Amino acid sequence: VQFYAEVVEGSTALDSSSKRGMYDPDEIDEENRERKLRAKLNKAFENFCRQVLQVVENNNMTIGQGNEFDIPYRALGFNGVPHKEMVLLQPTV
């Protein structure tokens, strides 16, 4: 089973009517919201992993019998376009 959550909006309107600068308060607020959401989702997933490991241990099962968590290895990541959008692809260990 693989879990995936999209944290940032995939597209941005680039029309000429929205000339937002680098120090635009709305853009800064949006980036802060995305950062907080990313941290919240990371924390929730970490808690989920801990709870699953606890259930596995309580039922005398061991990780490795088909129950394991892959961790993305960011150092080997590269940019690619798997489906109409540029993303960072990362192998797992």
Side-chain angles (χ1 to χ4, degrees), residues 37-70:
L37 179 60
R38 190 177 303 121
K40 179 181 173 184
L41 289 174
N42 284 342
K43 186 86 169 162
F45 185 70
E46 187 178 331
N47 289 335
F48 169 76
C49 291
R50 278 197 205 111
Q51 290 173 356
V52 168
L53 290 174
Q54 189 175 26
V55 167
V56 166
E57 290 173 3
N58 291 342
N59 291 319
N60 296 325
M61 299 175 1
T62 59
I63 298 295
Q65 295 178 338
N67 306 312
E68 62 184 52
F69 291 99
D70 291 339

